[in-house]
Amino acid sequence: MKKKVGIITFHASYNHGSVFQAQATQQAIQNLGYDAEIIDYRPKTYDEYDKLYCQRGHGGIKGRLYYAFLRMHRAKRLERVQKFQQYQRENLHLSQKRYLTYDSLSEIAGAYDIFVSGSDQIWSKNVPEIAKDSENAVLAYYLGFTQRKKIAYASSVASMKEADLEEFQSYLMDYAYISTRESVGAERLQHITGRDITTVIDPSFLLDCQEWMRFAEPQRLVDGKYVLLYSLRNYVAEKNWSDALNVFAERHGLKIVVIAPYFERKMKNAIDMRLAGPKEFLRLYADAEVVCTDTFHGTAFAVNFQKPVYSLGNKYWKEDIRKTSLLKALHMESRLIDDENDLLSVEDYRFDEKEAAAILEQQRKESICYLRHALKD
């Protein structure tokens, strides 16, 4: 009989990266011969946070006006939500019950042979979804409710400093194996635990682009060559991206395609794909000529699909180490930009992806090997 593995991660937000990393973690563990199930842990605050509109950075009168504007587009926003929900039903194997609180997870303390903390920023109590819930909501992701074997695969501490992590030291010491996604996070965890911490790739890399295409929209969505923008920012970045991309696209003879669910307006001269669900996202990435993004998973999928990419560094998220760590590990620092206007000086967007692809393939093998050993040992 196959051993049963319970995975806890961010799996149910309407965010492409979160859904894909959860799916890939589940798939990789299943590929190794285990019965993998995602624990459907979703406090009620998660439903409120990101269902229709991003609740990040919108306060006061401007915030109220912003939400009033977005409510006019409620029907379209619901269409996007439904695409995510359908994809999750089709591709995520969830526990039969949804767990709303940390305390309720005690019901499944012995339900799995092995528990795995998945990837994403699950070990940061500063993540807005967690911060809005109870003080112990984050303990679910440290697997504080069980004494069964615990493994961390690519669990990210995000902006958590060592002083912040000391609060969770006892939980971390209960893990049989700990790996994280960023080398800086590994250093912090090593100081806290006194143990060697393995750095592994984001779960989305555990599936290569051919494997991801099994889940993509089968038909091409946009004819011709285009630059694809994937952004999770709002009006703060909208104009900057628009000004830069219009010059970039005209110079290189490209169309502009935009997946930016929180942009208030349609970008000038762009094909607006803000309603793209996971299937459409994969198709648009597969067919893109070049990718511009301000997100980690937007960068990761460009790399995985071997697309030339320009990744905006820490202009808007000062403490975000994820994109920088990823591209440095792949010797792709030249693809980081500090400002959207850096695109104006690009004469040739092409990139020789052979070295990065070889490094990624080696990292993929090593990460799968780590996961296999941790589960089996």
Side-chain angles (χ1 to χ4, degrees):
M1 181 180 291
K2 293 181 179 179
K3 285 189 175 181
K4 196 169 183 180
V5 178
I7 303 164
I8 194 162
T9 188
F10 295 152
H11 66 282
S13 68
Y14 305 116
N15 173 290
H16 298 95
S18 292
V19 172
F20 289 141
Q21 64 84 23
Q23 178 188 359
T25 302
Q26 171 192 274
Q27 187 63 54
I29 293 173
Q30 288 176 338
N31 290 347
L32 292 172
Y34 295 84
D35 179 7
E37 184 173 273
I38 295 172
I39 299 167
D40 194 9
Y41 173 64
R42 285 180 290 139
K44 288 183 178 180
T45 53
Y46 287 33
D47 295 341
E48 302 164 3
Y49 180 74
D50 209 18
K51 187 171 184 178
L52 293 181
Y53 321 111
C54 181
Q55 296 185 27
R56 245 184 228 121
H58 294 299
I61 295 175
K62 285 186 178 180
R64 288 194 292 274
L65 290 173
Y66 170 68
Y67 288 121
F69 174 82
L70 287 185
R71 276 193 285 274
M72 294 190 298
H73 303 280
R74 180 178 177 81
K76 290 291 187 181
R77 299 293 299 174
L78 283 170
E79 180 183 330
R80 177 177 182 270
V81 166
Q82 289 163 0
K83 290 177 181 178
F84 273 86
Q85 290 175 339
Q86 180 178 349
Y87 188 88
Q88 290 161 352
R89 285 194 299 269
E90 292 174 351
N91 298 296
L92 299 185
H93 181 203
L94 301 182
S95 59
Q96 291 185 349
K97 180 177 177 180
R98 174 182 174 178
Y99 299 91
L100 297 173
T101 66
Y102 169 70
D103 291 339
S104 68
L105 291 169
S106 62
E107 297 176 21
I108 55 168
Y112 302 92
D113 299 294
I114 305 169
F115 286 82
V116 174
S117 298
S119 187
D120 225 329
Q121 301 176 73
I122 61 171
W123 278 355
S124 174
K125 64 179 181 180
N126 302 321
V127 170
E129 297 94 315
I130 291 176
K132 288 186 68 173
D133 202 80
S134 64
E135 290 185 4
N136 62 3
V138 70
L139 297 182
Y141 301 105
Y142 284 90
L143 297 174
F145 58 89
T146 182
Q147 293 303 310
R148 289 288 177 92
K149 181 179 178 180
K150 305 176 189 181
I151 297 168
Y153 182 82
S155 302
S156 178
V157 301
S159 61
M160 294 273 280
K161 306 299 184 186
E162 285 183 35
D164 301 317
L165 288 168
E166 287 177 357
E167 178 182 346
F168 305 102
Q169 182 180 36
S170 61
Y171 297 98
L172 292 166
M173 297 304 293
D174 280 344
Y175 276 78
Y177 290 89
I178 296 178
S179 65
T180 191
R181 199 173 55 185
E182 293 91 25
S183 58
V184 173
E187 292 173 7
R188 294 172 186 168
L189 288 167
Q190 186 166 327
H191 291 157
I192 292 297
T193 63
R195 298 162 54 176
D196 290 333
I197 305 297
T198 304
T199 303
V200 293
I201 57 175
D202 183 81
S204 65
F205 286 125
L206 295 175
L207 307 184
D208 62 27
C209 58
Q210 286 78 23
E211 291 174 291
W212 277 119
M213 287 306 295
R214 293 167 42 213
F215 306 100
E217 177 67 32
Q219 301 298 322
R220 189 180 179 102
L221 298 172
V222 178
D223 293 329
K225 293 183 178 181
Y226 58 86
V227 52
L228 174 64
L229 170 65
Y230 177 56
S231 175
L232 293 181
R233 299 300 303 173
N234 45 54
Y235 63 85
V236 176
E238 180 183 352
K239 185 179 184 301
N240 293 335
W241 276 123
S242 180
D243 291 346
L245 280 176
N246 271 276
V247 174
F248 179 88
E250 184 176 1
R251 175 180 294 166
H252 299 288
L254 303 173
K255 296 179 180 178
I256 303 172
V257 176
V258 178
I259 307 175
Y262 308 122
F263 278 9
E264 287 82 352
R265 299 164 296 184
K266 179 182 179 296
M267 183 181 288
K268 179 182 176 183
N269 300 323
I271 299 170
D272 189 350
M273 299 296 288
R274 74 178 68 201
L275 302 183
K279 292 170 65 174
E280 293 84 7
F281 176 97
L282 293 171
R283 182 81 247 177
L284 290 167
Y285 258 80
D287 296 332
E289 178 74 9
V290 58
V291 173
C292 295
T293 186
D294 50 35
T295 81
F296 170 77
H297 279 110
T299 306
F301 272 87
V303 171
N304 209 355
F305 279 66
Q306 297 184 21
K307 301 293 180 179
V309 60
Y310 290 100
S311 181
L312 187 64
N314 294 347
K315 180 177 179 179
Y316 300 112
W317 286 295
K318 299 300 184 184
E319 300 296 326
D320 190 352
I321 61 175
R322 299 173 297 159
K323 299 187 293 293
T324 303
S325 294
L326 169 63
L327 293 178
K328 282 185 176 179
L330 296 173
H331 300 174
M332 292 178 63
E333 297 98 321
S334 64
R335 309 309 288 192
L336 279 166
I337 57 175
D338 296 321
D339 187 271
E340 296 92 340
N341 286 328
D342 290 348
L343 293 175
L344 302 180
S345 61
V346 173
E347 297 294 337
D348 186 353
Y349 59 75
R350 290 174 297 178
F351 178 73
D352 186 353
E353 74 283 349
K354 293 189 180 80
E355 181 186 15
I359 295 171
L360 177 58
E361 183 57 30
Q362 181 60 34
Q363 290 180 345
R364 182 181 287 120
K365 290 178 180 177
E366 291 173 356
S367 295
I368 292 174
C369 182
Y370 165 85
L371 193 55
R372 178 186 293 110
H373 177 73
L375 290 165
K376 186 177 181 181
D377 187 32

